[in-house]
Amino acid sequence: GESVGLHLPTLSVQEGDNSIINCAYSNSASDYFIWYKQESGKGPQFIIDIRSNMDKRQGQRVTVLLNKTVKHLSLQIAATQPGDSAVYFCADRLLNAGGTSYGKLTFGQGTILTVHP
Amino acid sequence: DGGITQSPKYLFRKEGQNVTLSCEQNLNHDAMYWYRQDPGQGLRLIYYSQIVNDFQKGDIAEGYSVSREKKESFPLTVTSAQKNPTAFYLCASSKGVRGQAISNQPQHFGDGTRLSIL
């Protein structure tokens, strides 16, 4: 995804609620998708990934859903905690014309998640 | 512990000066990457390297240079030609990415270097 400005989408939730963070990607040839969490002043931390031949994958308290028809990715966080407050990025990887992939990722601009106690 | 180490955490550059950001990994990863992050924006790829002694330009390579003489190290030089160098710079690495039988491996990131202009 391309950056579209200085104001990131924001999501505010109460502690214990479920959170859903959405992401749209632009290229239907993308084959692999990752969600990262970034806390202030730190590097992105891997959360969960999914391949394009899947539509759902679950981790600990997190679920990623992939809808290739509308090129949409979502991250669901169950029982959100204050420690989940961060910026969340999706990233997708594009296959090159030869069908191989060189690991180059395209990142979305991020969503700020704030969890209120 | 295995990981990616970036240094320094904060760096200041004077006008007309080149500065070099360090990135070291002990994960035995073949591929390494440099990204730039500006406030309120996602990460943009500067350079990447799939193997020692090989590197490729990313989306915003102008004003930057890299080297990959060792598998563990991928330093980034911000040259005086980079007119807007103030940003948060992130280094990442991942397992080997060549070939069609590629495994899907996420990139792992260091904790970044914040570069500012004096």
Side-chain angles (χ1 to χ4, degrees):
Chain A
E2 289 294 322
S3 299
V4 294
L6 298 179
H7 301 289
L8 295 180
T10 60
L11 176 65
S12 291
V13 300
Q14 290 295 125
E15 182 178 2
D17 288 351
N18 296 335
S19 302
I20 300 176
I21 301 171
N22 296 304
C23 180
Y25 62 95
S26 57
N27 201 309
S28 57
S30 294
D31 71 325
Y32 177 58
F33 305 86
I34 308 176
W35 279 101
Y36 287 94
K37 171 187 180 182
Q38 187 177 25
E39 297 174 320
S40 181
K42 294 190 174 182
Q45 177 186 358
F46 170 77
I47 302 173
I48 193 168
D49 58 1
I50 188 168
R51 297 171 60 177
S52 59
N53 62 354
M54 303 169 68
D55 53 21
K56 180 179 180 179
R57 191 171 186 209
Q58 288 183 295
Q60 188 175 13
R61 279 203 307 120
V62 295
T63 300
V64 55
L65 298 177
L66 175 62
N67 185 332
K68 294 180 288 294
T69 302
V70 295
K71 296 197 285 289
H72 183 267
L73 193 67
S74 68
L75 177 71
Q76 300 178 0
I77 305 173
T80 316
Q81 303 167 1
D84 294 327
S85 295
V87 178
Y88 288 81
F89 291 97
C90 66
D92 64 284
R93 184 182 68 192
L94 181 65
L95 286 170
N96 71 6
T100 59
S101 184
Y102 293 100
K104 180 183 169 183
L105 298 175
T106 299
F107 286 82
Q109 68 175 120
T111 296
I112 300 172
L113 174 65
T114 302
V115 183
H116 301 284
Chain B
D1 288 344
I4 301 173
T5 301
Q6 290 187 241
S7 62
K9 191 168 181 63
Y10 299 95
L11 187 59
F12 299 90
R13 197 191 87 169
K14 295 180 180 178
E15 294 290 338
Q17 185 181 48
N18 293 352
V19 292
T20 298
L21 285 60
S22 171
C23 178
E24 302 280 331
Q25 54 97 1
N26 60 3
L27 299 168
N28 199 32
H29 285 170
D30 289 313
M32 297 186 74
Y33 311 81
W34 273 106
Y35 293 90
R36 170 182 172 136
Q37 186 175 32
D38 293 284
Q41 298 189 31
L43 281 65
R44 291 184 290 167
L45 183 65
I46 304 172
Y47 267 98
Y48 64 104
S49 168
Q50 299 171 69
I51 200 167
V52 174
N53 293 322
D54 178 70
F55 49 83
Q56 307 293 329
K57 291 183 178 180
D59 301 319
I60 54 165
E62 186 175 351
Y64 300 98
S65 66
V66 293
S67 62
R68 188 81 187 280
E69 298 176 1
K70 297 188 299 182
K71 187 175 185 178
E72 303 79 21
S73 178
F74 191 40
L76 173 74
T77 297
V78 184
T79 74
S80 57
Q82 171 51 242
K83 298 306 179 186
N84 185 24
T86 298
F88 190 46
Y89 290 87
L90 288 158
C91 178
S93 70
S94 65
K95 290 185 180 179
V97 293
R98 283 192 176 274
Q100 293 195 7
I102 184 173
S103 59
N104 294 301
Q105 297 291 337
Q107 294 178 17
H108 297 272
F109 286 83
D111 276 339
T113 292
R114 190 166 299 279
L115 176 63
S116 302
I117 297 300
L118 288 177

